[in-house]
């Protein structure tokens, strides 16, 4: 327990497990999905699955199908879409003048976007995904306001 009225991160005790896990327990852990809950309702990207390679990776196949996982990703409404833009030096920075739209949005759900990448992206360049949507948090209809999310991590197209 924490006795402070205003606890800080340093006040939280370390948690540990005092046993050796069985093979059954280890197998059960592999089935657990951890979700990230953000306090805002901006699109948030957590990871990428390249269907050509059949793996989670940041090195994506040009022209390939990619799952983008995260929160609040359902794309709909006027001006919405998914783009790639050359990444800047700092976290979240990108060159908006060189944004390239994905070739197709195949599937759109709140926690999963499936897109086809364009063929013409330059190999070796670091890109960020930009997701814009007018779907509000916990709604199915578009609103008048676009919300934009930018991947914190970068990807390369090979």
């Amino acid at each position: 327990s924490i006795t402070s009225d205003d606890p800080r991160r340093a006040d939280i005790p370390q948690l540990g497990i005092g046993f050796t896990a069985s093979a059954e327990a280890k197998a059960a852990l592999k089935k657990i999905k951890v979700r990230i809950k953000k306090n805002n309702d901006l699109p948030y990207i957590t990871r990428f699955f390249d269907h050509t390679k059949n793996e989670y990776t940041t090195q994506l196949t040009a022209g390939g199908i990619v799952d983008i996982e995260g929160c609040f990703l359902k794309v709909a409404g006027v001006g919405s879409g998914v783009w790639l833009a050359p990444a800047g030096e700092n976290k979240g920075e990108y060159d908006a003048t060189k944004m390239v739209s994905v070739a197709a949005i195949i599937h759109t759900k709140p926690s999963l976007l499936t897109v086809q990448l364009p063929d013409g992206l330059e190999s070796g360049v670091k890109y960020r995904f930009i997701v814009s949507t007018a779907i509000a948090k916990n709604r199915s209809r578009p609103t008048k306001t676009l919300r934009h999310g930018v991947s914190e991590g970068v990807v390369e197209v090979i």
Side-chain angles (χ1 to χ4, degrees), residues 68-144:
I68 302 169
E69 296 181 9
C71 303
F72 312 119
L73 297 175
K74 187 170 182 176
V75 174
V78 177
S80 65
V82 181
W83 296 268
L84 288 128
E89 293 295 320
N90 298 317
K91 181 178 171 182
E93 284 186 346
Y94 62 94
D95 185 349
T97 64
K98 296 182 180 174
M99 287 183 15
V100 177
S101 179
V102 295
I105 298 174
I106 298 166
H107 191 72
T108 179
K109 285 183 159 182
S111 62
L112 177 71
L113 278 172
T114 303
V115 300
Q116 181 177 8
L117 298 181
D119 288 322
L121 294 172
E122 191 175 336
S123 180
V125 173
K126 306 264 190 219
Y127 291 95
R128 292 192 194 282
F129 273 95
I130 295 91
V131 176
S132 293
T133 183
I135 294 289
K137 179 180 176 181
N138 299 327
R139 295 203 180 172
S140 59
R141 285 183 262 145
T143 64
K144 293 180 182 179

Side-chain angles (χ1 to χ4, degrees), residues 28-80:
L29 284 175
K30 290 181 181 180
K31 297 177 184 175
I32 294 174
K33 287 188 177 182
V34 177
R35 292 187 180 200
I36 295 175
K37 182 168 175 131
K38 300 288 283 181
N39 290 332
N40 60 36
D41 62 352
L42 297 177
Y44 183 75
I45 297 169
T46 55
R47 63 185 182 167
F48 310 96
F49 184 84
D50 186 312
H51 284 272
T52 303
K53 295 179 175 181
N54 199 32
E55 67 181 3
Y56 287 97
T57 181
T58 56
Q59 292 188 328
L60 306 176
T61 307
I65 306 297
V66 174
D67 286 343
I68 302 169
E69 296 181 9
C71 303
F72 312 119
L73 297 175
K74 187 170 182 176
V75 174
V78 177
S80 65

